[in-house]
PDB file of all heavy atoms in Angstrom:
ATOM      1  N   VAL A  39       3.227  -3.500   4.670  1.00  0.00           N
ATOM      2  CA  VAL A  39       1.769  -3.276   4.729  1.00  0.00           C
ATOM      3  C   VAL A  39       1.205  -4.042   5.887  1.00  0.00           C
ATOM      4  O   VAL A  39       1.377  -5.245   6.005  1.00  0.00           O
ATOM      5  CB  VAL A  39       1.082  -3.707   3.436  1.00  0.00           C
ATOM      6  CG1 VAL A  39      -0.414  -3.424   3.515  1.00  0.00           C
ATOM      7  CG2 VAL A  39       1.680  -2.992   2.237  1.00  0.00           C
ATOM      8  N   GLY A  40       0.558  -3.343   6.817  1.00  0.00           N
ATOM      9  CA  GLY A  40       0.002  -3.956   8.003  1.00  0.00           C
ATOM     10  C   GLY A  40      -1.509  -3.899   8.046  1.00  0.00           C
ATOM     11  O   GLY A  40      -2.154  -3.331   7.122  1.00  0.00           O
ATOM     12  N   PRO A  41      -2.091  -4.399   9.103  1.00  0.00           N
ATOM     13  CA  PRO A  41      -3.567  -4.436   9.251  1.00  0.00           C
ATOM     14  C   PRO A  41      -4.191  -3.049   9.195  1.00  0.00           C
ATOM     15  O   PRO A  41      -5.290  -2.926   8.671  1.00  0.00           O
ATOM     16  CB  PRO A  41      -3.755  -5.049  10.609  1.00  0.00           C
ATOM     17  CG  PRO A  41      -2.504  -5.818  10.938  1.00  0.00           C
ATOM     18  CD  PRO A  41      -1.427  -5.053  10.231  1.00  0.00           C
ATOM     19  N   LYS A  42      -3.547  -2.035   9.734  1.00  0.00           N
ATOM     20  CA  LYS A  42      -4.120  -0.697   9.714  1.00  0.00           C
ATOM     21  C   LYS A  42      -4.300  -0.201   8.265  1.00  0.00           C
ATOM     22  O   LYS A  42      -5.328   0.321   7.910  1.00  0.00           O
ATOM     23  CB  LYS A  42      -3.257   0.280  10.499  1.00  0.00           C
ATOM     24  CG  LYS A  42      -3.881   1.654  10.611  1.00  0.00           C
ATOM     25  CD  LYS A  42      -3.068   2.587  11.452  1.00  0.00           C
ATOM     26  CE  LYS A  42      -3.681   3.950  11.545  1.00  0.00           C
ATOM     27  NZ  LYS A  42      -2.894   4.850  12.387  1.00  0.00           N
ATOM     28  N   ALA A  43      -3.292  -0.402   7.429  1.00  0.00           N
ATOM     29  CA  ALA A  43      -3.354  -0.008   6.043  1.00  0.00           C
ATOM     30  C   ALA A  43      -4.497  -0.762   5.320  1.00  0.00           C
ATOM     31  O   ALA A  43      -5.219  -0.184   4.510  1.00  0.00           O
ATOM     32  CB  ALA A  43      -2.029  -0.217   5.335  1.00  0.00           C
ATOM     33  N   VAL A  44      -4.637  -2.049   5.624  1.00  0.00           N
ATOM     34  CA  VAL A  44      -5.666  -2.859   5.005  1.00  0.00           C
ATOM     35  C   VAL A  44      -7.050  -2.358   5.420  1.00  0.00           C
ATOM     36  O   VAL A  44      -7.962  -2.273   4.604  1.00  0.00           O
ATOM     37  CB  VAL A  44      -5.488  -4.351   5.315  1.00  0.00           C
ATOM     38  CG1 VAL A  44      -6.677  -5.177   4.890  1.00  0.00           C
ATOM     39  CG2 VAL A  44      -4.213  -4.871   4.632  1.00  0.00           C
ATOM     40  N   ARG A  45      -7.188  -1.982   6.687  1.00  0.00           N
ATOM     41  CA  ARG A  45      -8.495  -1.455   7.141  1.00  0.00           C
ATOM     42  C   ARG A  45      -8.836  -0.136   6.418  1.00  0.00           C
ATOM     43  O   ARG A  45      -9.953   0.081   5.990  1.00  0.00           O
ATOM     44  CB  ARG A  45      -8.453  -1.181   8.660  1.00  0.00           C
ATOM     45  CG  ARG A  45      -8.635  -2.428   9.496  1.00  0.00           C
ATOM     46  CD  ARG A  45      -8.932  -2.111  10.958  1.00  0.00           C
ATOM     47  NE  ARG A  45      -7.883  -1.328  11.569  1.00  0.00           N
ATOM     48  CZ  ARG A  45      -6.785  -1.837  12.160  1.00  0.00           C
ATOM     49  NH1 ARG A  45      -6.590  -3.162  12.161  1.00  0.00           N
ATOM     50  NH2 ARG A  45      -5.888  -1.030  12.725  1.00  0.00           N
ATOM     51  N   ILE A  46      -7.826   0.726   6.256  1.00  0.00           N
ATOM     52  CA  ILE A  46      -8.048   1.991   5.540  1.00  0.00           C
ATOM     53  C   ILE A  46      -8.437   1.728   4.098  1.00  0.00           C
ATOM     54  O   ILE A  46      -9.349   2.326   3.558  1.00  0.00           O
ATOM     55  CB  ILE A  46      -6.800   2.896   5.620  1.00  0.00           C
ATOM     56  CG1 ILE A  46      -6.578   3.320   7.060  1.00  0.00           C
ATOM     57  CG2 ILE A  46      -6.906   4.089   4.691  1.00  0.00           C
ATOM     58  CD1 ILE A  46      -5.213   3.983   7.323  1.00  0.00           C
ATOM     59  N   LEU A  47      -7.747   0.797   3.442  1.00  0.00           N
ATOM     60  CA  LEU A  47      -8.104   0.422   2.072  1.00  0.00           C
ATOM     61  C   LEU A  47      -9.500  -0.171   1.999  1.00  0.00           C
ATOM     62  O   LEU A  47     -10.261   0.142   1.090  1.00  0.00           O
ATOM     63  CB  LEU A  47      -7.093  -0.578   1.534  1.00  0.00           C
ATOM     64  CG  LEU A  47      -5.705  -0.059   1.294  1.00  0.00           C
ATOM     65  CD1 LEU A  47      -4.698  -1.190   1.003  1.00  0.00           C
ATOM     66  CD2 LEU A  47      -5.682   0.924   0.126  1.00  0.00           C
ATOM     67  N   ASN A  48      -9.844  -1.010   2.975  1.00  0.00           N
ATOM     68  CA  ASN A  48     -11.179  -1.616   3.014  1.00  0.00           C
ATOM     69  C   ASN A  48     -12.259  -0.553   3.109  1.00  0.00           C
ATOM     70  O   ASN A  48     -13.282  -0.640   2.388  1.00  0.00           O
ATOM     71  CB  ASN A  48     -11.263  -2.579   4.165  1.00  0.00           C
ATOM     72  CG  ASN A  48     -12.263  -3.693   3.949  1.00  0.00           C
ATOM     73  OD1 ASN A  48     -12.968  -3.733   2.927  1.00  0.00           O
ATOM     74  ND2 ASN A  48     -12.332  -4.592   4.902  1.00  0.00           N
ATOM     75  N   VAL A  49     -12.085   0.456   3.947  1.00  0.00           N
ATOM     76  CA  VAL A  49     -13.046   1.529   4.079  1.00  0.00           C
ATOM     77  C   VAL A  49     -13.180   2.278   2.750  1.00  0.00           C
ATOM     78  O   VAL A  49     -14.276   2.616   2.298  1.00  0.00           O
ATOM     79  CB  VAL A  49     -12.653   2.488   5.236  1.00  0.00           C
ATOM     80  CG1 VAL A  49     -13.478   3.743   5.223  1.00  0.00           C
ATOM     81  CG2 VAL A  49     -12.821   1.765   6.578  1.00  0.00           C
ATOM     82  N   ALA A  50     -12.038   2.600   2.129  1.00  0.00           N
ATOM     83  CA  ALA A  50     -12.048   3.350   0.894  1.00  0.00           C
ATOM     84  C   ALA A  50     -12.759   2.552  -0.211  1.00  0.00           C
ATOM     85  O   ALA A  50     -13.496   3.084  -1.010  1.00  0.00           O
ATOM     86  CB  ALA A  50     -10.628   3.667   0.461  1.00  0.00           C
ATOM     87  N   LEU A  51     -12.524   1.207  -0.243  1.00  0.00           N
ATOM     88  CA  LEU A  51     -13.201   0.379  -1.217  1.00  0.00           C
ATOM     89  C   LEU A  51     -14.692   0.400  -0.976  1.00  0.00           C
ATOM     90  O   LEU A  51     -15.492   0.556  -1.921  1.00  0.00           O
ATOM     91  CB  LEU A  51     -12.674  -1.062  -1.125  1.00  0.00           C
ATOM     92  CG  LEU A  51     -11.308  -1.323  -1.728  1.00  0.00           C
ATOM     93  CD1 LEU A  51     -10.755  -2.668  -1.274  1.00  0.00           C
ATOM     94  CD2 LEU A  51     -11.355  -1.258  -3.255  1.00  0.00           C
ATOM     95  N   LYS A  52     -15.133   0.252   0.262  1.00  0.00           N
ATOM     96  CA  LYS A  52     -16.530   0.212   0.593  1.00  0.00           C
ATOM     97  C   LYS A  52     -17.208   1.543   0.207  1.00  0.00           C
ATOM     98  O   LYS A  52     -18.375   1.559  -0.231  1.00  0.00           O
ATOM     99  CB  LYS A  52     -16.759  -0.087   2.067  1.00  0.00           C
ATOM    100  CG  LYS A  52     -16.520  -1.536   2.407  1.00  0.00           C
ATOM    101  CD  LYS A  52     -16.783  -1.831   3.838  1.00  0.00           C
ATOM    102  CE  LYS A  52     -16.478  -3.326   4.126  1.00  0.00           C
ATOM    103  NZ  LYS A  52     -16.694  -3.678   5.536  1.00  0.00           N
TER     104      LYS A  52
END
Side-chain angles (χ1 to χ4, degrees):
V39 180
K42 184 176 180 180
V44 170
R45 280 193 303 274
I46 293 168
L47 290 168
N48 206 357
V49 168
L51 285 165
K52 285 182 181 179

